[in-house]
Amino acid sequence: KIARAASEVTGIDLPDLMDAFGVTFVSFVGQYGYDRILRVLGRHVRDFLNGLDNLHEYLRFSYPKLQPPSFFCEEESSMGLTLHYRSRRRGFVHYVKGQLRQVGFLFYQTEINVEVLKETDHAEGLTHVVFRLHFNNRAYKINRHHLGNTCTDSLLPVRSDVFFEVFPFNVVFGEDMLIRRVGIGLQNIFEKLEGRQIEESFTLNRPLVKFTWENVLNHTNNLFELVSRLPIERTSLHGKSSMSDGGSDAPEGFNTLANENDRCLTLKGQMMFMEDWKSVIFIGTPIMENLEQMFMTGLYINDLSMHDSSRDLVLAGTQQSAELKLALDQEQQKSSKLEESMRMLDVEMKKTDELLYQMIPKAVADRLRKGEASVETCEVFQEVTILFSDVVGFTKICSRITPMQVVSMLNSMYTLFDQLTEKHNVYKVETIGDAYMVVSGAPEKTRFHAHYVADMALDMLRSMKHLQDPSTGDTLQIRIGVHSGMVVAGVVGLKMPRWCLFGDTVNTASRMESS
């Protein structure tokens, strides 16, 4: 969607834009150190392309939810090779083309011309694209020369039982896809695998091809990932399934209620064709994210091979996971405290804003926040209407009642007036003693300013029947003066700044009220 929108804005064709994205991405990832991974994938371009399918596997630990594409090379010659690209994401063909050309130029100083031979969208949501890559593949000649001079001395004979013990998670199957032999590690957790179809026992997750004899032989340079179709029922020392009795055999601290996917065994490794056996052997290693998953799949540390890093990865990964969990918990606690502090800060900021907007119009306050000088907020309003009011006989009333009664009386009156300002869309400028001042037409301009203020004045008079003189019990009376004209409005002063109005219109309205 982003690419289509960019294409519409820039006028660049979408394929050309995606190609440019691919070129730029290769340079972009170099800023974060991923160029070092790309540089060590192969000595030559052909080595890089043959190992391209395994690239995303190296990123699995950093991005566990990654759903990578699949790559496969064939028909290699000294002038290039054919590359098959399969992905569950559509629309990235030209993006991949740009990446391939940039990798050749940036890391191998080789010009790669990419030609799309075929593009197919399958019903299961898989896109299959066949590229023909044209480049100087001199490494292909060197490799063929070395193969022709391979040493033919006989190797030390190794018995098959020793071989299957050294590689406990191997699977041997023939062209009919029947399993002929499995390693001792698989024998310990699976029953009667031998003699069954391999695709009935395992699904092929990678590469993204059908699990057939031909595809296996064509992808021997690719990493294979097999997952058992059925979850493994862990058995206790007495032969009972620990899942059926509520997991009573589980050590303390292990979660026995893992879902079925957690109890499926995942194997990753390489497929090799054995000419003498007329079979393919899969030499794999179980992938365990933690000790709990190992327990649920019925494996133990000593089931893993000693000659590779399988044991170290599981134990080190568990220790690192515990450390990361502790660090994550601490960060979550800090995050919760920070969120609470931010929430309280937002509440206080809202209170501050409400108080500020009661003193200064919102539009003016926002300009002051941006750093404008107060004098720059001054503005001329050509047409406004101003209203002044005060209490008749206010001085005599104050002489007959206590100061607290005066405050209570004014508070009751101003509360009613404040409600009327909201009703009639007028702005309260200030109160001084018993004087109350409002304006319409500023700070928000309107051609109905006189109507609003007139309605406000009438409602003020009507509201007085609800207010009494505390000294006599009679209804309070007020005087009101109104005038329309031009004013200058702005914020004046540094301490306790106020938004004030200046001009003859203000003076005339005040005299209208007092006379």
Side-chain angles (χ1 to χ4, degrees), residues 131-160:
F131 296 109
R132 182 62 190 179
L133 276 56
H134 303 278
F135 61 95
N136 182 10
N137 192 13
R138 64 182 185 87
Y140 175 72
K141 303 176 184 178
I142 298 173
N143 187 62
R144 288 181 63 87
H145 175 73
H146 288 332
L147 289 176
N149 296 328
T150 301
C151 178
T152 57
D153 293 341
S154 60
L155 299 177
L156 292 175
V158 178
R159 299 198 316 272
S160 60

PDB file of all heavy atoms in Angstrom, residues 131-160:
ATOM      1  N   PHE A 131      13.661 -16.921 -11.644  1.00  0.00           N
ATOM      2  CA  PHE A 131      14.578 -15.912 -12.165  1.00  0.00           C
ATOM      3  C   PHE A 131      15.713 -16.601 -12.927  1.00  0.00           C
ATOM      4  O   PHE A 131      16.153 -17.699 -12.558  1.00  0.00           O
ATOM      5  CB  PHE A 131      15.218 -15.097 -11.031  1.00  0.00           C
ATOM      6  CG  PHE A 131      14.259 -14.281 -10.220  1.00  0.00           C
ATOM      7  CD1 PHE A 131      13.949 -14.640  -8.912  1.00  0.00           C
ATOM      8  CD2 PHE A 131      13.675 -13.142 -10.737  1.00  0.00           C
ATOM      9  CE1 PHE A 131      13.093 -13.887  -8.142  1.00  0.00           C
ATOM     10  CE2 PHE A 131      12.804 -12.378  -9.978  1.00  0.00           C
ATOM     11  CZ  PHE A 131      12.511 -12.752  -8.680  1.00  0.00           C
ATOM     12  N   ARG A 132      16.198 -15.928 -13.956  1.00  0.00           N
ATOM     13  CA  ARG A 132      17.458 -16.324 -14.584  1.00  0.00           C
ATOM     14  C   ARG A 132      18.456 -15.218 -14.313  1.00  0.00           C
ATOM     15  O   ARG A 132      18.261 -14.074 -14.719  1.00  0.00           O
ATOM     16  CB  ARG A 132      17.297 -16.544 -16.091  1.00  0.00           C
ATOM     17  CG  ARG A 132      18.582 -17.019 -16.781  1.00  0.00           C
ATOM     18  CD  ARG A 132      19.047 -18.360 -16.254  1.00  0.00           C
ATOM     19  NE  ARG A 132      20.393 -18.708 -16.733  1.00  0.00           N
ATOM     20  CZ  ARG A 132      21.036 -19.824 -16.401  1.00  0.00           C
ATOM     21  NH1 ARG A 132      20.449 -20.696 -15.581  1.00  0.00           N
ATOM     22  NH2 ARG A 132      22.244 -20.079 -16.853  1.00  0.00           N
ATOM     23  N   LEU A 133      19.521 -15.561 -13.584  1.00  0.00           N
ATOM     24  CA  LEU A 133      20.535 -14.592 -13.201  1.00  0.00           C
ATOM     25  C   LEU A 133      21.729 -14.731 -14.130  1.00  0.00           C
ATOM     26  O   LEU A 133      22.342 -15.809 -14.216  1.00  0.00           O
ATOM     27  CB  LEU A 133      20.976 -14.810 -11.747  1.00  0.00           C
ATOM     28  CG  LEU A 133      20.121 -14.161 -10.649  1.00  0.00           C
ATOM     29  CD1 LEU A 133      18.668 -14.575 -10.740  1.00  0.00           C
ATOM     30  CD2 LEU A 133      20.675 -14.486  -9.268  1.00  0.00           C
ATOM     31  N   HIS A 134      22.059 -13.653 -14.825  1.00  0.00           N
ATOM     32  CA  HIS A 134      23.191 -13.638 -15.750  1.00  0.00           C
ATOM     33  C   HIS A 134      24.342 -12.875 -15.103  1.00  0.00           C
ATOM     34  O   HIS A 134      24.213 -11.686 -14.793  1.00  0.00           O
ATOM     35  CB  HIS A 134      22.794 -12.967 -17.072  1.00  0.00           C
ATOM     36  CG  HIS A 134      21.607 -13.606 -17.747  1.00  0.00           C
ATOM     37  ND1 HIS A 134      21.710 -14.728 -18.532  1.00  0.00           N
ATOM     38  CD2 HIS A 134      20.286 -13.273 -17.723  1.00  0.00           C
ATOM     39  CE1 HIS A 134      20.514 -15.064 -18.990  1.00  0.00           C
ATOM     40  NE2 HIS A 134      19.627 -14.199 -18.512  1.00  0.00           N
ATOM     41  N   PHE A 135      25.462 -13.563 -14.875  1.00  0.00           N
ATOM     42  CA  PHE A 135      26.646 -12.922 -14.308  1.00  0.00           C
ATOM     43  C   PHE A 135      27.864 -13.797 -14.604  1.00  0.00           C
ATOM     44  O   PHE A 135      27.738 -14.955 -15.027  1.00  0.00           O
ATOM     45  CB  PHE A 135      26.489 -12.717 -12.795  1.00  0.00           C
ATOM     46  CG  PHE A 135      26.305 -13.985 -12.008  1.00  0.00           C
ATOM     47  CD1 PHE A 135      27.386 -14.621 -11.418  1.00  0.00           C
ATOM     48  CD2 PHE A 135      25.040 -14.555 -11.862  1.00  0.00           C
ATOM     49  CE1 PHE A 135      27.214 -15.789 -10.692  1.00  0.00           C
ATOM     50  CE2 PHE A 135      24.861 -15.716 -11.141  1.00  0.00           C
ATOM     51  CZ  PHE A 135      25.951 -16.338 -10.552  1.00  0.00           C
ATOM     52  N   ASN A 136      29.032 -13.248 -14.377  1.00  0.00           N
ATOM     53  CA  ASN A 136      30.281 -13.975 -14.610  1.00  0.00           C
ATOM     54  C   ASN A 136      30.497 -14.952 -13.460  1.00  0.00           C
ATOM     55  O   ASN A 136      30.983 -14.582 -12.396  1.00  0.00           O
ATOM     56  CB  ASN A 136      31.449 -12.991 -14.717  1.00  0.00           C
ATOM     57  CG  ASN A 136      32.768 -13.696 -15.009  1.00  0.00           C
ATOM     58  OD1 ASN A 136      32.791 -14.892 -15.316  1.00  0.00           O
ATOM     59  ND2 ASN A 136      33.862 -12.959 -14.911  1.00  0.00           N
ATOM     60  N   ASN A 137      30.151 -16.209 -13.687  1.00  0.00           N
ATOM     61  CA  ASN A 137      30.201 -17.228 -12.641  1.00  0.00           C
ATOM     62  C   ASN A 137      31.494 -18.036 -12.757  1.00  0.00           C
ATOM     63  O   ASN A 137      31.482 -19.249 -12.946  1.00  0.00           O
ATOM     64  CB  ASN A 137      28.975 -18.139 -12.760  1.00  0.00           C
ATOM     65  CG  ASN A 137      28.806 -19.032 -11.541  1.00  0.00           C
ATOM     66  OD1 ASN A 137      29.444 -18.824 -10.518  1.00  0.00           O
ATOM     67  ND2 ASN A 137      27.948 -20.028 -11.661  1.00  0.00           N
ATOM     68  N   ARG A 138      32.622 -17.358 -12.627  1.00  0.00           N
ATOM     69  CA  ARG A 138      33.907 -18.045 -12.770  1.00  0.00           C
ATOM     70  C   ARG A 138      34.132 -19.049 -11.644  1.00  0.00           C
ATOM     71  O   ARG A 138      34.870 -20.016 -11.805  1.00  0.00           O
ATOM     72  CB  ARG A 138      35.047 -17.035 -12.793  1.00  0.00           C
ATOM     73  CG  ARG A 138      35.220 -16.240 -11.511  1.00  0.00           C
ATOM     74  CD  ARG A 138      36.345 -15.226 -11.622  1.00  0.00           C
ATOM     75  NE  ARG A 138      36.577 -14.545 -10.361  1.00  0.00           N
ATOM     76  CZ  ARG A 138      37.373 -15.006  -9.407  1.00  0.00           C
ATOM     77  NH1 ARG A 138      37.999 -16.163  -9.580  1.00  0.00           N
ATOM     78  NH2 ARG A 138      37.537 -14.337  -8.282  1.00  0.00           N
ATOM     79  N   ALA A 139      33.478 -18.842 -10.482  1.00  0.00           N
ATOM     80  CA  ALA A 139      33.639 -19.776  -9.369  1.00  0.00           C
ATOM     81  C   ALA A 139      33.077 -21.149  -9.717  1.00  0.00           C
ATOM     82  O   ALA A 139      33.514 -22.164  -9.169  1.00  0.00           O
ATOM     83  CB  ALA A 139      32.950 -19.230  -8.124  1.00  0.00           C
ATOM     84  N   TYR A 140      32.134 -21.204 -10.657  1.00  0.00           N
ATOM     85  CA  TYR A 140      31.571 -22.489 -11.080  1.00  0.00           C
ATOM     86  C   TYR A 140      32.635 -23.319 -11.789  1.00  0.00           C
ATOM     87  O   TYR A 140      32.749 -24.529 -11.572  1.00  0.00           O
ATOM     88  CB  TYR A 140      30.380 -22.238 -12.001  1.00  0.00           C
ATOM     89  CG  TYR A 140      29.779 -23.494 -12.592  1.00  0.00           C
ATOM     90  CD1 TYR A 140      29.043 -24.365 -11.809  1.00  0.00           C
ATOM     91  CD2 TYR A 140      29.948 -23.794 -13.942  1.00  0.00           C
ATOM     92  CE1 TYR A 140      28.486 -25.513 -12.350  1.00  0.00           C
ATOM     93  CE2 TYR A 140      29.400 -24.935 -14.490  1.00  0.00           C
ATOM     94  CZ  TYR A 140      28.668 -25.798 -13.693  1.00  0.00           C
ATOM     95  OH  TYR A 140      28.121 -26.938 -14.230  1.00  0.00           O
ATOM     96  N   LYS A 141      33.464 -22.670 -12.608  1.00  0.00           N
ATOM     97  CA  LYS A 141      34.544 -23.379 -13.292  1.00  0.00           C
ATOM     98  C   LYS A 141      35.565 -23.896 -12.285  1.00  0.00           C
ATOM     99  O   LYS A 141      36.036 -25.027 -12.368  1.00  0.00           O
ATOM    100  CB  LYS A 141      35.229 -22.438 -14.287  1.00  0.00           C
ATOM    101  CG  LYS A 141      34.306 -21.833 -15.331  1.00  0.00           C
ATOM    102  CD  LYS A 141      35.067 -20.846 -16.203  1.00  0.00           C
ATOM    103  CE  LYS A 141      34.144 -20.143 -17.187  1.00  0.00           C
ATOM    104  NZ  LYS A 141      34.884 -19.145 -17.998  1.00  0.00           N
ATOM    105  N   ILE A 142      35.908 -23.046 -11.310  1.00  0.00           N
ATOM    106  CA  ILE A 142      36.891 -23.448 -10.296  1.00  0.00           C
ATOM    107  C   ILE A 142      36.386 -24.645  -9.508  1.00  0.00           C
ATOM    108  O   ILE A 142      37.113 -25.603  -9.244  1.00  0.00           O
ATOM    109  CB  ILE A 142      37.184 -22.259  -9.354  1.00  0.00           C
ATOM    110  CG1 ILE A 142      37.792 -21.098 -10.145  1.00  0.00           C
ATOM    111  CG2 ILE A 142      38.097 -22.676  -8.218  1.00  0.00           C
ATOM    112  CD1 ILE A 142      37.961 -19.827  -9.334  1.00  0.00           C
ATOM    113  N   ASN A 143      35.110 -24.619  -9.158  1.00  0.00           N
ATOM    114  CA  ASN A 143      34.527 -25.706  -8.372  1.00  0.00           C
ATOM    115  C   ASN A 143      34.535 -27.017  -9.149  1.00  0.00           C
ATOM    116  O   ASN A 143      34.848 -28.078  -8.611  1.00  0.00           O
ATOM    117  CB  ASN A 143      33.101 -25.328  -7.965  1.00  0.00           C
ATOM    118  CG  ASN A 143      32.488 -26.335  -7.010  1.00  0.00           C
ATOM    119  OD1 ASN A 143      32.996 -26.535  -5.914  1.00  0.00           O
ATOM    120  ND2 ASN A 143      31.401 -26.952  -7.431  1.00  0.00           N
ATOM    121  N   ARG A 144      34.202 -26.949 -10.452  1.00  0.00           N
ATOM    122  CA  ARG A 144      34.197 -28.165 -11.272  1.00  0.00           C
ATOM    123  C   ARG A 144      35.618 -28.712 -11.428  1.00  0.00           C
ATOM    124  O   ARG A 144      35.835 -29.917 -11.449  1.00  0.00           O
ATOM    125  CB  ARG A 144      33.595 -27.865 -12.648  1.00  0.00           C
ATOM    126  CG  ARG A 144      32.098 -27.645 -12.608  1.00  0.00           C
ATOM    127  CD  ARG A 144      31.557 -27.376 -14.002  1.00  0.00           C
ATOM    128  NE  ARG A 144      31.767 -28.515 -14.882  1.00  0.00           N
ATOM    129  CZ  ARG A 144      30.934 -29.541 -14.986  1.00  0.00           C
ATOM    130  NH1 ARG A 144      29.851 -29.587 -14.235  1.00  0.00           N
ATOM    131  NH2 ARG A 144      31.182 -30.523 -15.829  1.00  0.00           N
ATOM    132  N   HIS A 145      36.607 -27.822 -11.493  1.00  0.00           N
ATOM    133  CA  HIS A 145      38.001 -28.266 -11.605  1.00  0.00           C
ATOM    134  C   HIS A 145      38.431 -29.014 -10.345  1.00  0.00           C
ATOM    135  O   HIS A 145      39.074 -30.059 -10.411  1.00  0.00           O
ATOM    136  CB  HIS A 145      38.897 -27.044 -11.836  1.00  0.00           C
ATOM    137  CG  HIS A 145      40.358 -27.384 -11.839  1.00  0.00           C
ATOM    138  ND1 HIS A 145      40.966 -28.067 -12.891  1.00  0.00           N
ATOM    139  CD2 HIS A 145      41.325 -27.143 -10.916  1.00  0.00           C
ATOM    140  CE1 HIS A 145      42.254 -28.236 -12.616  1.00  0.00           C
ATOM    141  NE2 HIS A 145      42.499 -27.672 -11.427  1.00  0.00           N
ATOM    142  N   HIS A 146      38.023 -28.489  -9.173  1.00  0.00           N
ATOM    143  CA  HIS A 146      38.368 -29.164  -7.915  1.00  0.00           C
ATOM    144  C   HIS A 146      37.684 -30.508  -7.807  1.00  0.00           C
ATOM    145  O   HIS A 146      38.266 -31.477  -7.309  1.00  0.00           O
ATOM    146  CB  HIS A 146      37.975 -28.282  -6.724  1.00  0.00           C
ATOM    147  CG  HIS A 146      38.878 -27.090  -6.567  1.00  0.00           C
ATOM    148  ND1 HIS A 146      40.178 -27.089  -6.972  1.00  0.00           N
ATOM    149  CD2 HIS A 146      38.632 -25.858  -6.037  1.00  0.00           C
ATOM    150  CE1 HIS A 146      40.737 -25.914  -6.708  1.00  0.00           C
ATOM    151  NE2 HIS A 146      39.809 -25.143  -6.139  1.00  0.00           N
ATOM    152  N   LEU A 147      36.437 -30.591  -8.288  1.00  0.00           N
ATOM    153  CA  LEU A 147      35.725 -31.863  -8.220  1.00  0.00           C
ATOM    154  C   LEU A 147      36.395 -32.918  -9.087  1.00  0.00           C
ATOM    155  O   LEU A 147      36.405 -34.101  -8.764  1.00  0.00           O
ATOM    156  CB  LEU A 147      34.268 -31.668  -8.665  1.00  0.00           C
ATOM    157  CG  LEU A 147      33.368 -30.901  -7.697  1.00  0.00           C
ATOM    158  CD1 LEU A 147      31.986 -30.697  -8.312  1.00  0.00           C
ATOM    159  CD2 LEU A 147      33.260 -31.633  -6.367  1.00  0.00           C
ATOM    160  N   GLY A 148      36.971 -32.480 -10.199  1.00  0.00           N
ATOM    161  CA  GLY A 148      37.639 -33.431 -11.081  1.00  0.00           C
ATOM    162  C   GLY A 148      38.924 -33.980 -10.497  1.00  0.00           C
ATOM    163  O   GLY A 148      39.398 -35.037 -10.907  1.00  0.00           O
ATOM    164  N   ASN A 149      39.504 -33.269  -9.522  1.00  0.00           N
ATOM    165  CA  ASN A 149      40.756 -33.703  -8.910  1.00  0.00           C
ATOM    166  C   ASN A 149      40.557 -34.237  -7.498  1.00  0.00           C
ATOM    167  O   ASN A 149      41.471 -34.211  -6.686  1.00  0.00           O
ATOM    168  CB  ASN A 149      41.748 -32.527  -8.866  1.00  0.00           C
ATOM    169  CG  ASN A 149      42.137 -32.070 -10.262  1.00  0.00           C
ATOM    170  OD1 ASN A 149      42.195 -32.876 -11.185  1.00  0.00           O
ATOM    171  ND2 ASN A 149      42.384 -30.772 -10.408  1.00  0.00           N
ATOM    172  N   THR A 150      39.330 -34.685  -7.197  1.00  0.00           N
ATOM    173  CA  THR A 150      39.042 -35.177  -5.853  1.00  0.00           C
ATOM    174  C   THR A 150      39.856 -36.428  -5.553  1.00  0.00           C
ATOM    175  O   THR A 150      39.988 -37.318  -6.390  1.00  0.00           O
ATOM    176  CB  THR A 150      37.546 -35.498  -5.713  1.00  0.00           C
ATOM    177  OG1 THR A 150      36.815 -34.309  -5.985  1.00  0.00           O
ATOM    178  CG2 THR A 150      37.220 -35.973  -4.310  1.00  0.00           C
ATOM    179  N   CYS A 151      40.358 -36.485  -4.352  1.00  0.00           N
ATOM    180  CA  CYS A 151      41.151 -37.650  -3.939  1.00  0.00           C
ATOM    181  C   CYS A 151      40.271 -38.889  -3.888  1.00  0.00           C
ATOM    182  O   CYS A 151      39.158 -38.851  -3.371  1.00  0.00           O
ATOM    183  CB  CYS A 151      41.774 -37.372  -2.571  1.00  0.00           C
ATOM    184  SG  CYS A 151      42.741 -38.759  -1.931  1.00  0.00           S
ATOM    185  N   THR A 152      40.753 -39.992  -4.451  1.00  0.00           N
ATOM    186  CA  THR A 152      39.959 -41.226  -4.513  1.00  0.00           C
ATOM    187  C   THR A 152      40.414 -42.253  -3.493  1.00  0.00           C
ATOM    188  O   THR A 152      40.012 -43.411  -3.554  1.00  0.00           O
ATOM    189  CB  THR A 152      40.066 -41.840  -5.921  1.00  0.00           C
ATOM    190  OG1 THR A 152      41.445 -42.083  -6.224  1.00  0.00           O
ATOM    191  CG2 THR A 152      39.478 -40.896  -6.964  1.00  0.00           C
ATOM    192  N   ASP A 153      41.282 -41.836  -2.569  1.00  0.00           N
ATOM    193  CA  ASP A 153      41.723 -42.794  -1.554  1.00  0.00           C
ATOM    194  C   ASP A 153      40.538 -43.259  -0.730  1.00  0.00           C
ATOM    195  O   ASP A 153      39.650 -42.482  -0.396  1.00  0.00           O
ATOM    196  CB  ASP A 153      42.767 -42.145  -0.632  1.00  0.00           C
ATOM    197  CG  ASP A 153      44.051 -41.834  -1.384  1.00  0.00           C
ATOM    198  OD1 ASP A 153      44.254 -42.429  -2.473  1.00  0.00           O
ATOM    199  OD2 ASP A 153      44.816 -40.995  -0.888  1.00  0.00           O
ATOM    200  N   SER A 154      40.520 -44.524  -0.394  1.00  0.00           N
ATOM    201  CA  SER A 154      39.414 -45.075   0.390  1.00  0.00           C
ATOM    202  C   SER A 154      39.461 -44.533   1.809  1.00  0.00           C
ATOM    203  O   SER A 154      40.527 -44.358   2.391  1.00  0.00           O
ATOM    204  CB  SER A 154      39.505 -46.607   0.418  1.00  0.00           C
ATOM    205  OG  SER A 154      40.729 -47.003   1.001  1.00  0.00           O
ATOM    206  N   LEU A 155      38.272 -44.248   2.344  1.00  0.00           N
ATOM    207  CA  LEU A 155      38.175 -43.735   3.701  1.00  0.00           C
ATOM    208  C   LEU A 155      38.113 -44.888   4.688  1.00  0.00           C
ATOM    209  O   LEU A 155      37.901 -46.047   4.316  1.00  0.00           O
ATOM    210  CB  LEU A 155      36.923 -42.865   3.830  1.00  0.00           C
ATOM    211  CG  LEU A 155      36.881 -41.630   2.922  1.00  0.00           C
ATOM    212  CD1 LEU A 155      35.552 -40.911   3.100  1.00  0.00           C
ATOM    213  CD2 LEU A 155      38.034 -40.697   3.228  1.00  0.00           C
ATOM    214  N   LEU A 156      38.285 -44.558   5.964  1.00  0.00           N
ATOM    215  CA  LEU A 156      38.172 -45.580   6.993  1.00  0.00           C
ATOM    216  C   LEU A 156      36.751 -46.113   7.035  1.00  0.00           C
ATOM    217  O   LEU A 156      35.797 -45.339   7.037  1.00  0.00           O
ATOM    218  CB  LEU A 156      38.543 -44.986   8.356  1.00  0.00           C
ATOM    219  CG  LEU A 156      40.011 -44.586   8.544  1.00  0.00           C
ATOM    220  CD1 LEU A 156      40.186 -43.898   9.890  1.00  0.00           C
ATOM    221  CD2 LEU A 156      40.909 -45.815   8.461  1.00  0.00           C
ATOM    222  N   PRO A 157      36.559 -47.407   7.030  1.00  0.00           N
ATOM    223  CA  PRO A 157      35.198 -47.955   7.063  1.00  0.00           C
ATOM    224  C   PRO A 157      34.533 -47.657   8.402  1.00  0.00           C
ATOM    225  O   PRO A 157      35.149 -47.743   9.457  1.00  0.00           O
ATOM    226  CB  PRO A 157      35.419 -49.457   6.866  1.00  0.00           C
ATOM    227  CG  PRO A 157      36.814 -49.701   7.355  1.00  0.00           C
ATOM    228  CD  PRO A 157      37.597 -48.470   7.025  1.00  0.00           C
ATOM    229  N   VAL A 158      33.244 -47.283   8.336  1.00  0.00           N
ATOM    230  CA  VAL A 158      32.463 -46.991   9.537  1.00  0.00           C
ATOM    231  C   VAL A 158      31.218 -47.859   9.519  1.00  0.00           C
ATOM    232  O   VAL A 158      30.474 -47.871   8.536  1.00  0.00           O
ATOM    233  CB  VAL A 158      32.056 -45.501   9.594  1.00  0.00           C
ATOM    234  CG1 VAL A 158      31.206 -45.234  10.828  1.00  0.00           C
ATOM    235  CG2 VAL A 158      33.289 -44.616   9.599  1.00  0.00           C
ATOM    236  N   ARG A 159      30.999 -48.606  10.596  1.00  0.00           N
ATOM    237  CA  ARG A 159      29.817 -49.449  10.669  1.00  0.00           C
ATOM    238  C   ARG A 159      28.569 -48.589  10.796  1.00  0.00           C
ATOM    239  O   ARG A 159      28.589 -47.510  11.391  1.00  0.00           O
ATOM    240  CB  ARG A 159      29.900 -50.399  11.867  1.00  0.00           C
ATOM    241  CG  ARG A 159      31.078 -51.356  11.818  1.00  0.00           C
ATOM    242  CD  ARG A 159      30.848 -52.531  12.771  1.00  0.00           C
ATOM    243  NE  ARG A 159      30.325 -52.122  14.054  1.00  0.00           N
ATOM    244  CZ  ARG A 159      31.081 -51.763  15.092  1.00  0.00           C
ATOM    245  NH1 ARG A 159      32.397 -51.762  14.961  1.00  0.00           N
ATOM    246  NH2 ARG A 159      30.532 -51.421  16.238  1.00  0.00           N
ATOM    247  N   SER A 160      27.453 -49.081  10.251  1.00  0.00           N
ATOM    248  CA  SER A 160      26.221 -48.297  10.255  1.00  0.00           C
ATOM    249  C   SER A 160      25.719 -48.039  11.667  1.00  0.00           C
ATOM    250  O   SER A 160      25.173 -46.963  11.950  1.00  0.00           O
ATOM    251  CB  SER A 160      25.143 -49.013   9.436  1.00  0.00           C
ATOM    252  OG  SER A 160      24.870 -50.291   9.992  1.00  0.00           O
TER     253      SER A 160
END
